[in-house]
Amino acid sequence: MREKHEKLKVYEFLYNRLPFSDTEKQEFRAMQRMEKLEARFERELARIKTHNMSIHWHTEMLIDSDYEIVNVLIVTDYCYYLFVLHDLAGEFYINPFNILCRDNHEAALDLNRSERIYEMFRSQLIDEGKYQRPIILKYVMMNSGFRLQGRRSELFLDMKNLPYYLKAIEHSAVIRKKNHHPASTKF
Amino acid sequence: MEGYKKGVKCSDCHSFDMDILSSRLFMCSDCGVVVGVENQIRDYFLHYTKIIPDEVYTRRDIQDHINIGLTEYTLQKVIKSNFRKLDNRERIYYFSP
Ligand SMILES: [Zn+2]
């Protein structure tokens, strides 16, 4: 069961009761947006069987003096899946420097950061024994108005494909459990 | 907290314009959301005591915090199910749901 972020609860309680600074307002709005995205993801997750998985919500980490959020971490006996949720809408392309840009060339997302997130987890999620579970990181584009032109990226997962992706995780978690010795989940 | 505004507010649109629909229900007059009186008040004090713990309240303080004219009966019920009397102090309560 997912718990609403404590800080968001405090913001919600204090909103309209105390004056918020611009930074606080901005942070509050960002957290509300994240909450909506996570609630939506949770609804998708409710459609699959999750008893062979452990699910961890909303991890924030400091990477090069900026915070990155991994909204969902799904752990099965055979893989770690990291999901970062985004609600970007409009036409985008990926430039040669691996920056996701809007069609007016405004930078929206530095995709090089995904490497850093990956490395961070790679250094943390060490399995005991011979089998090291792979880590898969996906940026889930939750807004159906998101369009990517030109070069594609394996990193992105469209909202419309999320149900199939989760179903596949469910399926692999079950089937592999039958045929293999499960690796120990040390997390 | 200086400038802090007391009162039960709508959890959806943050309006303080809550009407008493019945002894058990509030309705937000801005967005129409209907919520249970007791839940809403308990939520208020749960959050408030997280920010200001160990506060004690007189009956009047509790009324001020809720800031909606509850009937005597409802107020009594709310106090009974959410507050305990401070030892040896007849009219001083602390929040203990
Ligand atoms: Zn409302």
Side-chain angles (χ1 to χ4, degrees), chain B residues 10-15 18 28-33:
Chain B
C10 173
S11 41
D12 273 29
C13 76
H14 301 281
S15 161
M18 301 292 278
C28 171
S29 48
D30 281 355
C31 77
V33 151

Side-chain angles (χ1 to χ4, degrees), chain A residues 6 9-19 28 32, chain B residues 2-7 9 14 16 44 47-48 50-51:
Chain A
E6 269 311 308
K9 287 192 214 163
V10 174
Y11 269 144
E12 281 176 343
F13 179 71
L14 291 179
Y15 188 72
N16 271 0
R17 296 185 191 280
L18 282 176
F28 179 37
Q32 282 179 310
Chain B
E2 202 166 323
Y4 171 80
K5 192 170 172 186
K6 292 172 184 166
K9 65 169 183 163
H14 301 281
F16 285 88
Y44 174 90
H47 285 109
Y48 184 76
K50 253 188 220 163
I51 298 163

Side-chain angles (χ1 to χ4, degrees), chain B residues 3 10 18 20 27 32 38-39 48 52 71 80 86 89 93:
Chain B
C10 173
M18 301 292 278
I20 300 169
M27 188 177 88
E38 289 198 47
N39 274 345
Y48 184 76
I52 315 268
T71 61
K80 227 178 153 179
L86 206 63
R89 301 284 299 276
Y93 300 89

Side-chain angles (χ1 to χ4, degrees), chain A residues 108-124:
Chain A
L109 208 55
D110 180 358
L111 303 180
N112 300 299
R113 303 277 293 169
S114 68
E115 289 291 321
R116 302 283 289 112
I117 297 174
Y118 180 84
E119 283 163 17
M120 193 87 149
F121 277 89
R122 178 76 290 163
S123 66
Q124 303 281 331

Side-chain angles (χ1 to χ4, degrees), chain B residues 17 74 85:
Chain B
D17 242 337
T74 308
K85 273 189 187 134

